[in-house]
Amino acid sequence: MMKRLKTILALVLALAMTASLAACGGSDTTEEPADDTAGQTTEEPADSESDLAYVQDKGTLVVGITYFAPLDYKEEGSDEWIGFDADMAKAFAESLGVNVEFQEITWDYKVEELNSRAIDCVWNGMTLSEDVLAAMGTSTPYCTNYQTLVYPADKAADFADLTSLEGLNIAVESGSAGEDAAEALGATTVPVQAQANALMEVSAGTSDAAVIDVLMAAEMTGEGTSYADLAYSLNLNDTQGLPSEEYGVGFRQGSDLVDAFNSFWAEKVADGTVLETATTYGLQDAVILE
């Protein structure tokens, strides 16, 4: 009996040693961490992806705009966006081999719309202000502009030669150069979503006047326009001792679409397309051709 127990104990010990050696053998082999990228193409994160490749891959350039004649607008009864900016945006998209889509945005949130990729650029008579230059990748300037005061035509005498807007309720597009000008000149501002809405405020009598871009004022006020009862005067940039503004197209910071746009624009200036399109919309004196 004792001999049998010894035999069983020996077998148990032998099995235990075998298991121990197997475990030790596994721990003696140190494996390098697996290289998941070996033999594979690593996909770049979306944030570092070429914007040009991104737009071409999805096949659409989404352009952020507001209603802003003569740059981006629709004729009555039409769903098509036209205007100097809209027409040139269509040509730019074509040069990239993609379709164009116009997306109306709230101007105050244009940077957020860009960064979230809800839109691919802002092309809507955007003044190249310090804030814009800091927040976006921007194109070469393509048009000049200044801020002007729009008021009821029958009250023109009350607004002649003003050097201050103190005591006046002035409608402005929120986040615009017009808002900056009105505040600098002491106005009580009435922020609205778009410059076109600022004109509605004045026409309805809910604001004393509006500060908007002169290009829109020339297009949309006076005899034969949508706002025949409104007039404009005063260069508020001059009033503040500031130079004329310049428009540019905004892209995401670091976007390679900036270079693509600048090359496209230089080509279209050289072949006469820019001047021809500007003349169609009465902007031949404002467009920058250098």
Side-chain angles (χ1 to χ4, degrees):
M1 182 69 175
M2 182 64 69
K3 183 177 180 180
R4 186 177 178 185
L5 287 172
K6 288 181 178 181
T7 301
I8 292 172
L9 181 59
L11 287 171
V12 170
L13 289 172
L15 288 172
M17 289 181 66
T18 301
S20 176
L21 287 171
C24 291
S27 63
D28 286 343
T29 303
T30 303
E31 293 186 5
E32 293 295 326
D35 183 3
D36 292 334
T37 63
Q40 300 179 19
T41 301
T42 303
E43 184 176 342
E44 290 292 327
D47 287 345
S48 64
E49 180 181 304
S50 158
D51 244 8
L52 176 57
Y54 166 71
V55 167
Q56 290 178 325
D57 183 60
K58 67 190 176 86
T60 305
L61 177 74
V62 183
V63 181
I65 61 171
T66 65
Y67 191 100
F68 184 173
L71 302 178
D72 293 301
Y73 67 101
K74 296 178 181 179
E75 291 186 326
E76 188 174 352
S78 174
D79 288 330
E80 180 185 5
W81 287 99
I82 61 172
F84 178 67
D85 283 3
D87 287 5
M88 293 307 301
K90 294 172 188 176
F92 180 50
E94 183 178 356
S95 76
L96 300 179
V98 301
N99 297 318
V100 68
E101 178 184 324
F102 296 100
Q103 178 66 50
E104 287 191 86
I105 61 174
T106 298
W107 196 245
D108 224 14
Y109 297 105
K110 54 188 177 292
V111 176
E112 290 81 357
E113 295 274 13
L114 262 183
N115 291 340
S116 69
R117 285 190 165 177
I119 59 175
D120 299 311
C121 65
V122 181
W123 197 339
N124 191 74
M126 181 175 66
T127 298
L128 295 175
S129 65
E130 290 183 5
D131 288 344
V132 165
L133 292 171
M136 301 182 194
T138 54
S139 71
T140 54
Y142 68 87
C143 204
T144 60
N145 175 64
Y146 63 82
Q147 298 304 308
T148 192
L149 189 68
V150 177
Y151 44 76
D154 60 1
K155 297 182 180 179
D158 296 339
F159 293 92
D161 302 321
L162 287 181
T163 57
S164 170
L165 300 179
E166 289 185 15
L168 296 174
N169 293 318
I170 305 295
V172 295
E173 180 182 53
S174 181
S176 69
E179 181 176 43
D180 292 342
E183 290 177 347
L185 293 169
T188 299
T189 57
V190 181
V192 295
Q193 185 171 337
Q195 293 191 68
N197 298 109
L199 294 179
M200 293 172 62
E201 288 278 330
V202 182
S203 184
T206 50
S207 291
D208 297 316
V211 174
I212 65 170
D213 292 23
V214 70
L215 299 185
M216 175 179 271
E219 178 72 16
M220 296 190 67
T221 67
E223 186 177 351
T225 70
S226 301
Y227 293 97
D229 59 333
L230 301 183
Y232 72 95
S233 66
L234 302 178
N235 181 330
L236 298 184
N237 289 62
D238 282 350
T239 302
Q240 299 173 82
L242 300 174
S244 293
E245 298 163 10
E246 293 181 327
Y247 287 160
V249 183
F251 301 92
R252 285 177 276 277
Q253 285 184 322
S255 173
D256 52 358
L257 282 171
V258 174
D259 288 339
F261 172 87
N262 288 340
S263 295
F264 158 82
W265 198 260
E267 178 184 321
K268 295 306 176 183
V269 167
D271 70 13
T273 300
V274 170
L275 179 57
E276 180 182 352
T277 307
T279 302
T280 299
Y281 296 101
L283 301 178
Q284 61 274 16
D285 294 330
V287 72
I288 298 172
L289 299 173
E290 299 177 354

